[in-house]
């Protein structure tokens, strides 16, 4: 997918989504710091109600404290997904995904699942890149925010991001992002840990643990 074309599509979708509630997270770990913005939004129909079309967007950047001119360089990722969610599908939907990452630009397609309520979000997909030797991506987001009282809620979130390449010379990649803290109104804060592993027969692992603060604009 052409990066310029993807940027235009993202801009048009962003203009149509300006009324969405946008959560932004800043995470400071012992090895890296990250900025993360992610939200879901249904397009509205002529009656002003949610249509069957769901837009998902995520912009994420990571900076390593040991960054040098040629190593430990910043990482970034832009992910935009568009799905058709008919009630008869029971939460499942066909999805098209566009991604701009450090290693390139990708178009992907597959199956998505979405369930969103006041206290529970379950969102994920299984998609495959549109290329000769594609990666299969498995993504899962679980967020649970039950209330303690009228003002305070628990904030808990788990993300699983797995890349399974068809090319046997390419490493598998597994990532887990854990968040646990408190939620009050539009603010959330607490402890976090980002874990990752890459390899095939042997794996290189990393862990980044620290504090996060999150605000829904």
């Amino acid at each position: 997918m052409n990066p310029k074309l993807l940027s235009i599509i993202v801009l048009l979708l962003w203009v149509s989504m300006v009324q969405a509630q946008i959560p932004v997270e800043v995470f400071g770990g012992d090895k890296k710091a990250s900025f993360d913005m992610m939200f879901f939004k249904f397009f509205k129909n002529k009656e002003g109600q949610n249509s069957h079309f769901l837009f998902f967007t995520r912009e994420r950047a990571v900076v390593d404290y040991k960054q040098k001119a040629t190593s430990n360089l910043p990482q970034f990722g832009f992910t935009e997904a568009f799905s058709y969610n008919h009630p008869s599908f029971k939460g499942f939907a066909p999805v098209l995904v566009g991604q701009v990452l450090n290693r390139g630009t990708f178009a992907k397609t597959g199956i998505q699942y979405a369930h969103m309520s006041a206290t529970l979000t379950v969102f994920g997909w299984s998609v495959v890149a549109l290329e000769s030797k594609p990666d299969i991506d498995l993504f899962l987001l679980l967020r649970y925010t039950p209330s303690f009282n009228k003002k305070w809620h628990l904030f808990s979130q788990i993300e699983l991001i797995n890349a399974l390449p068809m090319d046997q010379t390419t490493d598998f990649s597994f990532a887990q992002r854990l968040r646990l803290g408190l939620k009050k109104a539009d603010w959330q804060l607490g402890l976090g840990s980002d874990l990752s592993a890459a390899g095939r027969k042997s794996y290189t692992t990393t862990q980044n643990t620290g504090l996060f603060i999150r605000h829904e604009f």
Side-chain angles (χ1 to χ4, degrees), residues 23-100:
V24 174
E25 177 194 276
V26 176
F27 175 56
D30 58 331
K31 299 179 181 68
K32 301 177 183 180
S34 66
F35 170 88
D36 200 337
M37 181 177 68
M38 173 177 62
F39 72 89
F40 317 84
K41 180 69 175 181
F42 280 97
F43 286 96
K44 300 294 184 180
N45 58 25
K46 294 181 180 179
E47 291 73 31
Q49 300 173 337
N50 287 344
S51 71
H52 299 327
F53 295 98
L54 177 66
F55 176 61
F56 166 87
T57 182
R58 183 173 206 170
E59 286 73 42
R60 179 177 169 82
V62 181
V63 176
D64 194 311
Y65 302 146
K66 296 182 179 180
Q67 177 183 332
K68 297 181 181 179
T70 57
S71 63
N72 302 95
L73 298 176
Q75 302 292 309
F76 67 87
F78 304 91
T79 300
E80 321 300 328
F82 186 68
S83 60
Y84 179 74
N85 298 258
H86 195 277
S88 63
F89 297 163
K90 305 298 183 181
F92 292 94
V95 63
L96 293 174
V97 180
Q99 288 185 312
V100 179

Side-chain angles (χ1 to χ4, degrees), residues 13-211:
L13 290 171
W14 180 266
V15 170
S16 67
M17 296 288 108
V18 291
Q19 295 182 346
Q21 194 171 31
I22 304 174
V24 174
E25 177 194 276
V26 176
F27 175 56
D30 58 331
K31 299 179 181 68
K32 301 177 183 180
S34 66
F35 170 88
D36 200 337
M37 181 177 68
M38 173 177 62
F39 72 89
F40 317 84
K41 180 69 175 181
F42 280 97
F43 286 96
K44 300 294 184 180
N45 58 25
K46 294 181 180 179
E47 291 73 31
Q49 300 173 337
N50 287 344
S51 71
H52 299 327
F53 295 98
L54 177 66
F55 176 61
F56 166 87
T57 182
R58 183 173 206 170
E59 286 73 42
R60 179 177 169 82
V62 181
V63 176
D64 194 311
Y65 302 146
K66 296 182 179 180
Q67 177 183 332
K68 297 181 181 179
T70 57
S71 63
N72 302 95
L73 298 176
Q75 302 292 309
F76 67 87
F78 304 91
T79 300
E80 321 300 328
F82 186 68
S83 60
Y84 179 74
N85 298 258
H86 195 277
S88 63
F89 297 163
K90 305 298 183 181
F92 292 94
V95 63
L96 293 174
V97 180
Q99 288 185 312
V100 179
L101 308 174
N102 286 73
R103 66 180 186 275
T105 304
F106 305 91
K108 304 177 181 181
T109 187
I111 299 297
Q112 172 186 286
Y113 179 79
H115 170 81
M116 289 169 278
S117 66
T119 60
L120 177 65
T121 297
V122 182
F123 183 86
W125 60 50
S126 174
V127 295
V128 61
L130 301 177
E131 53 189 41
S132 58
K133 292 185 178 181
D135 289 359
I136 298 175
D137 287 357
L138 303 176
F139 169 64
L140 178 64
L141 169 71
L142 299 175
R143 183 185 301 144
Y144 184 49
T145 58
S147 61
F148 295 124
N149 51 48
K150 291 184 178 180
K151 292 185 177 180
W152 291 96
H153 299 253
L154 173 72
F155 182 85
S156 59
Q157 180 173 289
I158 299 174
E159 281 187 77
L160 306 177
I161 308 100
N162 304 317
L164 312 176
M166 296 293 97
D167 186 347
Q168 295 186 2
T169 64
T170 304
D171 288 342
F172 292 109
S173 176
F174 305 100
Q176 303 87 43
R177 298 176 188 146
L178 313 175
R179 302 291 186 266
L180 183 62
L182 296 174
K183 177 182 187 308
K184 182 180 181 182
D186 294 331
W187 290 92
Q188 302 94 44
L189 56 88
L191 301 174
S193 183
D194 292 350
L195 314 171
S196 64
R200 277 193 176 260
K201 294 183 179 180
S202 61
Y203 288 83
T204 300
T205 61
T206 62
Q207 180 174 345
N208 186 44
T209 302
L211 301 174

